[in-house]
Amino acid sequence: MACFRRLLPLCSSINRTTFSSSGSGVVQGFRSYGGIASPEQTLLKLEDAETRAGADTLVLDDEIAQIGREFHAAKQSFLRVPEALKAMPKMNPEGIYVNKNLRLDSIQVYGFDYDYTLAHYSSNLQSLIYDLAKEHMVNEFHYPEICMEFKYDPTFPIRGLYYDKLKGCLLKLDFFGSIESDGCYYGRRKLSRKEIEEIYGTRHIGRDQARRLVGLMDFFCFSEACLIADIVQYFVDAKLEFDACYIYQDVNRAIQHVHRSGVAHRGILSDPHKYLVKNGQLLHFLKMLREKGKKLFLLTNSPYYFVDGGMRFMLEDSTDFRDSWRELFDVVIAKANKPDFYTSEHPFRCYDAEKDTLAFTKVDAFLPNKIYYHGCLKSFLQITKWKGPEVIYFGDHLFSDLRGPAKAGWRTAAIIHELEDEILIQNEDAYRLEQAKFHIVQELLGRVHATVANSQKSEAYTSLLEELNDWRHKSSHKMKRMFNKSFGATFLTDRGQESAFAYHIHQYADVYTSKPENFLLYPSEAWLHVPFDIKIMPHHVKVSSSLFKNE
């Protein structure tokens, strides 16, 4: 409207211009494009310009005042937000959320990862992995003995962070690859926005910078991220020089050793009540699939003895499958070496659990009640004859579990355990109140910036802008603290945008949910479709600003 009104004086001036025709037939006005205006004409133009500028200022002041009145009205309406929020639907913490339409009646084969998919672990597992990894770094890599005093901090990391192997920073990125202004840590110290820009030049991560980032995406990355930050902080405090790349390599090698050596597996099985969570609903889900005539397979990187011990513990209260859980599955594959499983041509080997040996005969069929090691997707499809679109695979690791199946044409289901807690928080009135404040203030800020140019900033504009930014910052900070004190929500940034982790879920998961047995809440022939009104992630709800407009 302001731009339109600025055109009005100019249009009036053109309309007042008179023209005459000379003898030569050339149309002439007060001046030609190449002519020189008289002093009287220049004075008239200056006065006209001042008039237009004054009119523009009045219009802009009116618009700023209008935005200010709307902001004041919104603040008053926030007092009745809890009543308005009661009419809003709550998202289901155990729901299935859809990125790509999925008809369950077309799915004939269900495949599962083991760790954090079929097996549910307690929070004690992260401390176990952290402690075993730090001990390996001290004993084998000769890190300082003081590192043995480090303790795992469950309040520090979230899934989906990135580590910069050159700069040594832990980063939370948004959907478009920019560093969250409140989500960059060097060691255990949060960096300011100014420090981020000094290190990276900009908050956006370019292609060259992205090459040196490593994603921490699976559930075991919690202990890895925390140990990296603690080691970096030690070197900083001790004023010792270090290469950030070496820190990552050593921590990653220690974490891999904990898994591959079996020391973590033995620790879990030595005290399963401390680390494993029993789940009768999981057995009910698997039995239901069998009764519906579905094919089931287990595809895991873990060794068979570990899977067997865990499944026996989790199903020990069931008389049907306590000692014969393998009867639930048509094919059991352990030590699959994902993600190489999806691209390599490794042969399958039949595993003898009693002798702990691998057979030398070629595997050209999957026999009942047998266990198989290694293998590859190409051989798996040749043996089973299962077609891609009729297969769905459940896993928690977006890269190792789901990227390969997604590219192979399988349907994919991401198991994201923290989804349940995050939805419960988003359903709370306290969160939705701050969310409403944030979105409404963001909308008003956009209008303010679109209305006023740099040369037209007034005192009223500056005052309103400061107040709006202050409200936005406070709401953003309150929402973040409801999730994780260091990095906030797994799926959202502090500006309400989807995170890079959410981007990868959107890219590789057809559907996502907190645990596989949530499928029991839906008919086995259900058609799961993408909601028409989603922003990016289907489980996110934006509080409508219409709830806070005055009647």
Side-chain angles (χ1 to χ4, degrees):
M1 180 61 72
C3 295
F4 176 72
R5 289 176 181 173
R6 291 190 195 105
L7 293 175
L8 295 180
L10 180 59
C11 295
S12 301
S13 176
I14 292 175
N15 291 335
R16 289 194 303 268
T17 303
T18 59
F19 297 92
S20 62
S21 180
S22 66
S24 62
V26 178
V27 177
Q28 296 178 340
F30 288 117
R31 52 167 293 188
S32 67
Y33 286 104
I36 300 176
S38 67
E40 292 80 3
Q41 292 171 337
T42 301
L43 181 60
L44 287 172
K45 289 185 65 178
L46 289 174
E47 290 176 349
D48 193 34
E50 289 176 358
T51 301
R52 292 199 304 270
D56 287 348
T57 301
L58 290 175
V59 170
L60 293 174
D61 286 346
D62 287 344
E63 293 186 359
I64 292 297
Q66 175 60 30
I67 296 173
R69 287 192 293 271
E70 291 183 29
F71 181 40
H72 177 74
K75 287 190 290 184
Q76 295 299 314
S77 67
F78 287 151
L79 300 175
R80 58 182 176 84
V81 164
E83 289 299 324
L85 291 178
K86 290 179 182 179
M88 292 188 61
K90 304 291 186 182
M91 302 305 292
N92 184 2
E94 298 180 332
I96 299 173
Y97 295 95
V98 187
N99 291 323
K100 299 175 185 175
N101 292 349
L102 176 66
R103 294 185 62 168
L104 294 182
D105 60 355
S106 68
I107 301 297
Q108 303 303 319
V109 183
Y110 284 73
F112 299 91
D113 182 34
Y114 176 71
D115 291 301
Y116 282 107
T117 301
L118 292 181
H120 300 302
Y121 293 102
S122 72
S123 57
N124 295 321
L125 179 58
Q126 298 299 335
S127 295
L128 174 67
I129 297 171
Y130 181 94
D131 290 341
L132 292 173
K134 77 180 181 186
E135 290 171 9
H136 187 75
M137 294 183 69
V138 172
N139 296 332
E140 301 299 326
F141 302 160
H142 307 294
Y143 273 67
E145 194 73 26
I146 194 173
C147 294
M148 293 294 289
E149 299 178 10
F150 294 168
K151 299 293 182 184
Y152 175 69
D153 180 5
T155 67
F156 176 69
I158 62 172
R159 180 161 24 177
L161 300 177
Y162 289 82
Y163 179 70
D164 187 336
K165 293 185 291 183
L166 178 64
K167 302 295 185 179
C169 297
L170 275 173
L171 311 172
K172 181 181 178 184
L173 304 182
D174 67 16
F175 196 87
F176 302 101
S178 295
I179 303 171
E180 184 177 355
S181 57
D182 207 25
C184 179
Y185 278 74
Y186 186 62
R188 296 300 294 272
R189 185 177 72 85
K190 183 174 71 174
L191 300 183
S192 66
R193 183 164 184 164
K194 181 180 179 181
E195 288 175 313
I196 293 172
E197 292 177 351
E198 287 176 351
I199 294 173
Y200 292 97
T202 174
R203 285 176 48 226
H204 182 73
I205 295 294
R207 182 174 299 178
D208 292 338
Q209 293 171 320
R211 292 192 182 100
R212 66 184 192 232
L213 301 184
V214 289
L216 307 176
M217 295 291 165
D218 66 352
F219 218 88
F220 293 108
C221 73
F222 287 77
S223 47
E224 185 175 8
C226 193
L227 188 54
I228 287 174
D230 289 341
I231 294 292
V232 169
Q233 190 62 54
Y234 165 75
F235 279 103
V236 170
D237 292 341
K239 294 181 172 58
L240 298 173
E241 292 186 5
F242 66 95
D243 189 312
C245 185
Y246 294 158
I247 299 295
Y248 169 74
Q249 291 175 350
D250 289 345
V251 171
N252 185 257
R253 284 167 57 202
I255 295 287
Q256 293 298 324
H257 168 79
V258 167
H259 296 314
R260 294 172 180 173
S261 67
V263 61
H265 297 150
R266 291 190 293 272
I268 293 169
L269 293 181
S270 67
D271 193 358
H273 290 276
K274 183 177 181 180
Y275 300 108
L276 280 164
V277 179
K278 292 185 178 182
N279 182 10
Q281 286 296 98
L282 175 63
L283 175 61
H284 184 34
F285 173 52
L286 298 177
K287 288 174 64 177
M288 182 273 290
L289 292 176
R290 297 292 294 183
E291 292 167 358
K292 293 287 184 179
K294 307 297 184 182
K295 300 292 186 180
L296 275 68
F297 69 92
L298 177 64
L299 179 67
T300 176
N301 285 352
S302 294
Y304 174 74
Y305 82 89
F306 176 65
V307 176
D308 183 55
M311 292 296 286
R312 286 175 181 269
F313 171 76
M314 290 187 292
L315 303 180
E316 68 179 0
D317 297 331
S318 169
T319 57
D320 295 339
F321 293 94
R322 178 175 56 195
D323 298 321
S324 57
W325 62 267
R326 282 184 297 173
E327 295 178 8
L328 292 165
F329 297 92
D330 296 273
V331 184
V332 174
I333 303 168
K335 282 201 170 182
N337 196 31
K338 296 176 292 182
D340 290 346
F341 177 88
Y342 301 110
T343 56
S344 73
E345 295 193 5
H346 294 156
F348 283 102
R349 303 284 297 274
C350 191
Y351 175 71
D352 188 323
E354 293 182 1
K355 298 179 181 179
D356 190 27
T357 59
L358 295 173
F360 293 97
T361 55
K362 182 180 179 180
V363 175
D364 53 14
F366 293 130
L367 302 177
N369 211 32
K370 294 292 185 179
I371 306 113
Y372 298 92
Y373 267 27
H374 312 316
C376 64
L377 177 64
K378 180 180 178 181
S379 296
F380 182 83
L381 296 178
Q382 289 174 346
I383 294 172
T384 62
K385 309 299 183 185
W386 291 335
K387 298 178 182 178
E390 67 180 8
V391 181
I392 187 170
Y393 187 69
F394 292 70
D396 73 293
H397 196 300
L398 298 178
F399 298 151
S400 293
D401 289 332
L402 302 182
R403 179 162 55 184
K407 291 182 177 180
W410 288 0
R411 309 309 301 268
T412 54
I415 303 302
I416 313 296
H417 284 264
E418 53 268 52
L419 175 67
E420 206 164 305
D421 288 336
E422 293 210 355
I423 290 179
L424 287 172
I425 292 172
Q426 291 180 25
N427 281 342
E428 294 177 1
D429 287 352
Y431 175 85
R432 292 190 169 189
L433 171 60
E434 298 305 324
Q435 186 189 34
K437 292 179 182 178
F438 180 86
H439 285 303
I440 292 171
V441 169
Q442 189 87 333
E443 180 182 323
L444 294 175
L445 274 169
R447 288 172 55 190
V448 169
H449 288 300
T451 300
V452 181
N454 289 333
S455 61
Q456 298 170 314
K457 293 179 180 178
S458 64
E459 184 177 342
Y461 161 85
T462 303
S463 176
L464 179 60
L465 191 65
E466 289 178 354
E467 189 176 5
L468 287 170
N469 278 320
D470 183 59
W471 269 72
R472 181 176 65 169
H473 175 74
K474 288 179 179 178
S475 293
S476 173
H477 182 71
K478 287 179 181 178
M479 285 191 290
K480 175 181 177 179
R481 299 287 294 187
M482 293 179 190
F483 296 98
N484 175 280
K485 68 176 184 180
S486 302
F487 293 98
T490 303
F491 297 89
L492 288 170
T493 67
D494 59 351
R495 294 299 176 91
Q497 297 174 322
E498 272 74 11
S499 64
F501 180 70
Y503 169 79
H504 292 306
I505 293 177
H506 190 72
Q507 188 175 23
Y508 297 123
D510 293 343
V511 298
Y512 62 98
T513 188
S514 63
K515 47 187 181 292
E517 56 269 28
N518 290 341
F519 276 69
L520 285 170
L521 303 175
Y522 296 76
S524 58
E525 297 81 17
W527 180 15
L528 307 178
H529 59 87
V530 179
F532 71 92
D533 58 347
I534 66 168
K535 183 180 180 184
I536 296 295
M537 303 306 291
H539 74 278
H540 287 159
V541 174
K542 177 180 176 180
V543 178
S544 174
S545 60
S546 64
L547 292 175
F548 310 98
K549 294 186 182 298
N550 293 327
E551 298 295 335

